[in-house]
Amino acid sequence: MAKRVTRLGGLLAAYQRRDPAARSKLEIFLLYPGVHAVLYHRAAHWLFQRRFFFLARCVSQWSRFWTGIEIHPGAKIGRRLVIDHGMGIIIGETTEIGDDCLLYQGVTLGGTGKDQGKRHPTLGNHVLVGSGAKVLGPFTVGDNARIAAGAVVLREVPPNCTAVGVPARVVRCAGQPVFYADDVDQIHMADPVLEELTAMSERLEQLEEELYRLKNRKGMKGRPA
């Protein structure tokens, strides 16, 4: 019992750290749907593991109705998962989520419909998934990874990296952690496509300047002395 209370206290403290609107742990416990969804899932997962599948789905469906967050009772969720707002989140049956992760509204951790057995993603520790992002398939998103809002991730994301775009591409990793779960900025993420387009535009301007200089030199040489 004491262990469960300690875990609940850690979950509420995680919400306080990451949500500037949170006033107290009591408010979080009573009013935050993400907390309710995780607590309902603990009960549903306990039933699922003991093969009370119908009861497990009853609990998860009640949680979906009450919170707007759909978590299959078979999903494995680590400690201190923070679900910010949470409406429209879907977490599939074979999903695995590590400790200290952060999910925003509209996130889907789902499958592609082509796989058997393990069909859904595995998230490491300290992973952030931005609003509306879709992570689809039985691959791993590494520790400290960051998925931008609206991204569609269809392949593995290495640890300490950021995935952006549709389909998502991984930003070059520096080899050091670039993000921790308490950093909730979803906006200031480098877009590799935009970086390439910018580099091409700058190169084109340089070539145009060189061409202009060459034309001027030819014009100077052609003039009579």
Side-chain angles (χ1 to χ4, degrees):
M1 183 66 180
K3 190 175 182 180
R4 291 179 182 176
V5 172
T6 301
R7 285 184 178 179
L8 177 59
L11 177 63
L12 300 179
Y15 272 85
Q16 274 190 313
R17 287 197 305 273
R18 298 170 197 169
D19 186 353
R23 294 180 178 84
S24 69
K25 289 182 180 179
L26 180 63
E27 179 187 63
I28 295 168
F29 177 71
L30 294 176
L31 301 178
Y32 276 51
V35 173
H36 300 160
V38 169
L39 295 179
Y40 278 126
H41 175 71
R42 300 297 186 203
H45 187 65
W46 187 89
L47 291 167
F48 189 86
Q49 287 182 313
R50 286 153 184 81
R51 305 187 67 80
F52 297 113
F53 299 128
F54 182 81
L55 290 176
R57 289 306 295 261
C58 283
V59 173
S60 69
Q61 288 302 301
W62 170 254
S63 175
R64 178 180 180 273
F65 169 78
W66 185 250
T67 66
I69 299 166
E70 182 174 340
I71 308 176
H72 192 284
K76 298 177 181 178
I77 294 179
R79 294 172 294 177
R80 298 178 297 277
L81 170 65
V82 172
I83 298 175
D84 198 342
H85 298 292
M87 182 62 70
I89 283 179
I90 299 174
I91 299 175
E93 178 184 6
T94 60
T95 301
E96 298 178 38
I97 301 176
D99 297 336
D100 299 299
C101 292
L102 176 58
L103 307 181
Y104 284 90
Q105 68 273 13
V107 164
T108 298
L109 304 179
T112 62
K114 299 178 181 179
D115 302 295
Q116 301 293 326
K118 172 66 170 167
R119 308 183 303 282
H120 304 100
T122 296
L123 272 57
N125 301 322
H126 302 279
V127 173
L128 178 149
V129 186
S131 303
K134 315 299 177 189
V135 187
L136 307 174
F139 51 82
T140 298
V141 178
D143 294 347
N144 303 309
R146 197 175 190 188
I147 297 171
V152 177
V153 184
L154 302 174
R155 62 183 64 182
E156 182 175 351
V157 179
N160 308 315
C161 290
T162 300
V164 205
V166 181
R169 299 180 61 183
V170 174
V171 174
R172 187 180 302 166
C173 300
Q176 297 294 327
V178 294
F179 147 77
Y180 294 93
D182 290 342
D183 178 7
V184 298
D185 184 2
Q186 302 180 72
I187 299 172
H188 298 98
M189 301 183 186
D191 185 338
V193 176
L194 181 60
E195 288 178 349
E196 289 181 12
L197 289 174
T198 302
M200 290 173 62
S201 177
E202 291 174 353
R203 180 58 179 160
L204 183 60
E205 287 182 4
Q206 291 175 358
L207 291 172
E208 286 177 345
E209 288 178 2
E210 290 179 11
L211 182 60
Y212 179 76
R213 284 196 295 268
L214 287 171
K215 285 182 177 179
N216 284 345
R217 287 176 185 173
K218 283 186 178 180
M220 293 286 289
K221 287 179 180 178
R223 291 180 185 177

